[in-house]
């Protein structure tokens, strides 16, 4: 009887393990966070609280610290930043602007599965990824003061937003690839006419002192090959909605794709996930199915992705 009981218990344990393994496998098939829905006629985007509403206490101090880090990342937490970028470069108006990846749209969507690292990510892990890739830097610890401040600021901006609901204005509105595809050559023309005035003829941004007032779009101080913005489709989405600065939605879909391709046809810092120093291996694992990108592709006789 005792042996039968042990055998039954073992069978149940093995069944539980099998179920857990099955669940883990099925998790791999889950979709990433869906694109935000278009805003309905008469509907308003989520409105984050005003700065004047931040409370005058320890909680408010942490909100303000997070806001300062978000806007002036390089100056506030230089130990985590490896290039010339600030969080606000990709998440405009202090992370508040609809259709510019606002924090109020991101915070309520986590934890979430992301195929980028094939796991369920917490919001802290999502921010850590931004530092590692977009900032080409070092991820702050989940329990660090900088992380606490950024999460607190995000939570504050998401006040009254529903949890787990993809709100209109979250992320960047999707711009489908035009039938004509994209042209790096046409994109160079678009860049010279619309972008160079801020980002420079050489795309390396503009500085005042040691800090950038307009971020570099490629080169050693820009985002690295692992950042989401290296995808032409993601860059086109952002550009169409938000660029040129203050004149979003003025470029055509074709222009947005062309100039995104031109921007991402330049070399930038290496993907920190590089495998055995091989661009080819890294492309096969991380880039081959990651949107439309030029990592590991030869452009104008040069293999992109070797880093700078």
């Amino acid at each position: 009887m005792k042996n039968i009981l042990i055998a039954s218990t073992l069978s149940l344990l093995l069944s539980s393990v099998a179920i857990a393994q099955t669940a883990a496998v099925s998790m791999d098939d889950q979709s990433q966070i869906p694109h935000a829905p278009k805003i309905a006629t008469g509907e308003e985007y989520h409105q984050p609280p005003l700065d004047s509403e931040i409370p005058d206490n320890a909680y408010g101090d942490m909100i303000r610290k997070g806001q300062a880090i978000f806007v002036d990342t390089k100056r506030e937490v230089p130990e985590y930043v490896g290039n010339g970028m600030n969080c606000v470069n990709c998440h405009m108006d202090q992370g508040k602007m609809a259709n510019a990846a606002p924090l109020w749209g991101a915070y309520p969507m986590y934890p979430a599965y992301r195929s980028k690292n094939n796991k369920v990510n917490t919001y802290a892990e999502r921010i850590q990824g931004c530092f590692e890739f977009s900032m080409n830097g070092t991820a702050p610890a989940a329990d660090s003061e900088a992380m606490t401040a950024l999460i607190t600021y995000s939570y504050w901006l998401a006040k009254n937003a529903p949890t787990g609901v993809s709100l209109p204005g979250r992320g960047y509105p999707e711009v489908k690839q035009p039938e004509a595809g994209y042209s790096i050559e046409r994109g160079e023309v678009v860049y010279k006419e619309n972008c160079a005035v801020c980002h420079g003829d050489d795309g390396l941004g503009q500085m005042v002192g040691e800090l950038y007032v307009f971020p570099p779009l490629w080169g050693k101080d820009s985002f690295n090959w692992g950042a989401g913005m290296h995808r032409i489709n993601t860059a086109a989405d952002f550009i169409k909605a938000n660029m040129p600065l203050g004149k979003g939605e003025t470029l055509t879909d074709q222009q947005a794709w062309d100039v995104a391709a031109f921007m991402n046809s330049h070399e930038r810092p290496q993907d920190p996930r590089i495998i055995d120093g091989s661009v080819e291996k890294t492309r096969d694992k991380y880039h081959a199915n990651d949107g439309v990108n030029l990592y590991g592709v030869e452009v104008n006789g040069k293999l992109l992705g070797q880093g700078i």
Side-chain angles (χ1 to χ4, degrees):
M1 177 65 72
K2 183 177 180 179
N3 290 338
I4 293 174
L5 182 59
I6 291 174
S8 298
T9 303
L10 180 60
S11 178
L12 287 172
L13 287 172
L14 290 174
S15 296
S16 298
V17 170
I19 290 171
Q21 289 176 335
T22 300
V25 171
S26 65
M27 182 65 71
D28 294 343
D29 296 329
Q30 292 194 9
S31 299
Q32 290 183 269
I33 298 173
H35 277 283
K38 292 184 178 180
I39 194 164
T41 303
E43 186 180 4
E44 293 186 356
Y45 293 114
H46 170 78
Q47 296 299 310
L50 301 174
D51 287 357
S52 60
E53 298 177 57
I54 299 175
D56 188 18
N57 53 26
Y59 173 58
D61 290 343
M62 191 58 72
I63 294 171
R64 281 184 282 270
K65 184 173 185 64
Q67 184 180 48
I69 292 173
F70 195 85
V71 172
D72 206 2
T73 321
K74 179 73 172 181
R75 192 199 306 268
E76 291 288 329
V77 288
E79 66 271 30
Y80 300 125
V81 181
N83 57 18
M85 309 293 287
N86 294 305
C87 300
V88 73
N89 294 144
C90 296
H91 311 266
M92 305 183 75
D93 189 20
Q94 303 177 34
K96 302 175 183 178
M97 184 183 292
N99 298 319
L103 298 186
W104 50 258
Y107 180 85
M109 297 303 293
Y110 286 86
Y113 173 75
R114 298 184 70 223
S115 64
K116 182 168 186 173
N117 54 12
N118 194 31
K119 60 181 284 191
V120 172
N121 286 208
T122 64
Y123 189 63
E125 288 175 311
R126 181 66 182 88
I127 293 176
Q128 287 174 329
C130 286
F131 276 95
E132 183 178 7
F133 299 112
S134 295
M135 301 294 195
N136 193 38
T138 303
D143 60 352
S144 65
E145 183 179 53
M147 183 64 75
T148 299
L150 287 168
I151 291 176
T152 304
Y153 180 53
S154 302
Y155 174 80
W156 170 252
L157 294 183
K159 185 177 181 181
N160 296 324
T163 300
V165 176
S166 186
L167 295 173
R170 184 194 63 75
Y172 312 130
E174 184 178 12
V175 180
K176 297 290 187 182
Q177 183 171 354
E179 290 185 8
Y182 61 81
S183 164
I184 294 172
E185 292 73 24
R186 288 196 306 262
E188 183 175 9
V189 175
V190 177
Y191 181 85
K192 289 178 178 178
E193 294 177 349
N194 297 275
C195 316
V197 65
C198 291
H199 298 286
D201 292 334
D202 56 7
L204 301 183
Q206 296 194 51
M207 303 180 77
V208 172
E210 297 181 351
L211 299 173
Y212 285 94
V213 291
F214 292 103
L217 301 183
W218 56 80
K220 66 181 181 61
D221 283 336
S222 190
F223 54 88
N224 67 40
W225 280 110
M229 200 63 75
H230 94 282
R231 295 189 295 259
I232 294 172
N233 53 299
T234 299
D237 293 346
F238 171 76
I239 290 166
K240 170 72 175 180
N242 299 288
M243 293 291 137
L245 187 63
K247 297 192 294 183
E249 298 292 344
T250 59
L251 298 180
T252 65
D253 292 359
Q254 186 69 67
Q255 287 175 315
W257 269 82
D258 289 345
V259 76
F262 174 70
M263 178 179 80
N264 287 332
S265 69
H266 291 80
E267 196 57 86
R268 57 188 63 260
Q270 180 58 260
D271 187 333
R273 302 167 298 181
I274 190 166
I275 301 169
D276 300 331
S278 170
V279 172
E280 182 179 359
K281 289 182 181 179
T282 307
R283 176 170 178 78
D284 288 344
K285 184 172 178 61
Y286 294 113
H287 297 272
N289 298 306
D290 186 24
V292 182
N293 70 84
L294 297 173
Y295 183 90
V297 176
E298 187 173 304
V299 176
N300 296 325
K302 182 178 180 181
L303 181 68
L304 293 175
Q306 299 179 79
I308 191 170

